[in-house]
Amino acid sequence: MQAELIDIRNHLVQHSPFNEMPEELVNQLTASIEISYVRAGTPILETGQPSSHLYYLRSGAVEIFRRSGELYNRIGEGEIFGQFGLLMQRQVRFPARALEDSLLYRVPAETFHTLFESDEHFADFVEIEDRSRLRSALSRREKSNALMTSRVSRLISRKTVSAPSSVRLQEAARIMTDSGVSALLLMDGEGDNARLTGIITDRDLRTRAVTEALPSETPVSEIMSAGLITIRASSYIFEAMLTMLHNNVHHLPVIDGHEVRGVVALADIVKYESQSSLYLVSNIYHQQHVKGLKKISHDVRDSFVRMVNEDANSHMIGSAMAGIGRSFTQRLLELGEEKLGPPPVPYCFMALGSMARDEQLVVTDQDNAMILDDSFVPEEHDEYFLALAKFVSDGLAECGYTYCTGDIMATNPKWRQPLRVWRHYFTDWIENPKAESLLNCNIFFDLDGIYGNVEFAEELKSLVATKASNSKLFLTLMARNALNRTPPLGFFRTFVLEEDGKHQKTFNLKRRGTAPLSDLVRIHALACGSRAQNSFERLKSIGETQLIIEDDLGNLRDALEFISIVRIRHQSLSLEAGEEPDNNVRPEDLSPFERSHLKDAFQVVSNAQKFLRFRYHTQATRHV
């Protein structure tokens, strides 16, 4: 092959869809290419003219327009255009003009149709729009992971083993032994009226019956676990895993309507989930000292890497890592209470930010706060709660969760207050908003009660859901703050990189990608009165109110997933290389596939920010 053709071929295979094309087809394509050069401002395609070529932009920039003359897209190096005319009666659908001096590779229609018929990936790529390509890429990725596609019902291999809640301990133990099960469901009623009221496990029999030397005739209802966490038979296995992680339970009753289908045990999940995150959580609760927690905290990164390598999605990884973080926090609170004694008044420990949203990764700090009962008297009680907050905060730092640089921690007296003060905080933020104060307190609108009287946190969620949707100025100022962080996509669909500092020639996937997305999703969710915290759950709530149309919601979900998973893989690769993970990515370290689809995802974020600006623009000009 001539040197010029080798250069063309080498450039093509760096970009989608040619990077996945069989070698013989790439060679055939390369041999057919015509090269053209156009100056800035020159029309390339005009509406209605015969469409005879597919165009590949080697260098320069091209603008694509709708028939109305409205700008549709900007094309950068390594991207194609003209495919829709070739697919639709061979007439140009979207006119194109060179934005700057550009070098083009022209692929004749005959070669285009040969590739279309011969290569399924190429056909998929040229048939669908940029954002549909992003969705297709994510769909193919998820299908490769059994956790994402297998239903909980697949894990049920035996009939339900149950007994009335009035059964005695000895009889319950006999039923479990004869049936070879580690958990017994307890039911009240008969036939169609039977309802699940509790569960008893091997561990319950050991710790609550044998250890306490209860008589064999004791009703099992005295030691059963009530208020059960259950899961639907139609749920995915990964949802069962996350439910176990979040609630620290080892058995999940499986429900199909009003019918109890069976029980999924920890061992059943482990068959599908080899990352050992469930075992890690269990191990956390067995540690008796901070030193023990610190020792096993090194397993967190191993668990993260294993999940990434098994193609778990970002929601699963973020939820699992948040579950692990919660478990460390909860165990530290238990150890703190053992050391300091019982709390003098009831309290709730709150997680904030990514942990509250179930979107935590391995590069994270600690963001938390305390809600104290209104009977709290600082002079009498605060010494205890400061000591407890410090014990937990120092323990989390020992376990790899660094101190918050903004001092958003329960050790700060401002964030360790009675419920009445927290009500005042949120009411003031919402009803008397100021741009600067909202910028500093933004993180408090992602909150989750993880220990103690969690009803305190639920009350704050209800307050926010009620008040935020009725405060136009609050939503406007939140939107203005959210627009301070933009995706790293330049005028010509090129990546905008840091110009100086230690992260020179990189872009930050959190600050310029996932953070702007979670910010705008949060604002729409607050406007809808949603109590959801996770960004994907918030998008679901937004969809129910039809504030955003379903197609745009789908684009946001796909963009959030893709940017998140590229960020996750970047951190995982750093860990496997023995390097300290971060959020700063160099474009040259990304695959052509990732570069191409990141541009699609960042464009979704940019468009969503334009809608955010439009949605709250009227209020902004009126009040500010």
Side-chain angles (χ1 to χ4, degrees), residues 340-520:
L340 300 170
V345 298
Y347 74 100
C348 170
F349 198 89
M350 281 198 302
L352 307 169
S354 61
M355 184 184 290
R357 294 196 311 271
D358 278 340
E359 296 168 19
Q360 195 162 51
L361 301 184
V362 290
V363 181
T364 186
D365 59 2
Q366 49 179 290
D367 301 298
N368 51 61
M370 271 187 186
I371 310 172
L372 307 172
D373 188 80
D374 282 339
S375 61
F376 170 77
V377 177
E379 295 77 13
E380 297 178 15
H381 305 141
D382 197 43
E383 182 180 355
Y384 175 93
F385 287 110
L386 173 58
L388 180 62
K390 190 174 187 309
F391 180 87
V392 173
S393 184
D394 291 346
L396 286 172
E398 288 282 316
C399 295
Y401 299 86
T402 58
Y403 297 112
C404 175
T405 55
D407 204 19
I408 310 294
M409 297 181 293
T411 50
N412 183 337
K414 186 175 182 180
W415 311 129
R416 191 177 64 252
Q417 291 291 334
L419 180 58
R420 64 178 181 276
V421 175
W422 282 105
R423 289 195 204 99
H424 171 75
Y425 282 167
F426 280 98
T427 300
D428 189 56
W429 288 332
I430 296 170
E431 295 183 352
N432 304 293
K434 298 177 182 61
E436 184 176 353
S437 62
L438 288 181
L439 190 63
N440 295 328
C441 73
N442 194 49
I443 194 171
F444 289 96
F445 291 93
D446 300 331
L447 66 93
D448 186 32
I450 64 172
Y451 189 86
N453 284 39
V454 295
E455 296 82 7
F456 292 168
E458 294 303 312
E459 182 175 331
L460 294 181
K461 288 181 186 178
S462 296
L463 182 151
V464 171
T466 301
K467 290 184 175 292
S469 59
N470 295 315
S471 177
K472 294 181 178 180
L473 179 57
F474 166 74
L475 294 171
T476 296
L477 294 180
M478 288 283 283
R480 282 193 167 189
N481 287 339
L483 294 171
N484 290 332
R485 297 191 283 196
T486 57
L489 199 62
F491 190 70
F492 305 124
R493 281 176 61 89
T494 56
F495 293 122
V496 176
L497 307 179
E498 299 288 340
E499 296 182 354
D500 50 31
K502 67 176 182 178
H503 297 303
Q504 187 178 12
K505 303 301 182 184
T506 70
F507 57 86
N508 188 295
L509 278 171
K510 178 182 179 181
R511 187 170 63 249
R512 305 293 296 276
T514 55
L517 255 176
S518 61
D519 284 348
L520 66 90

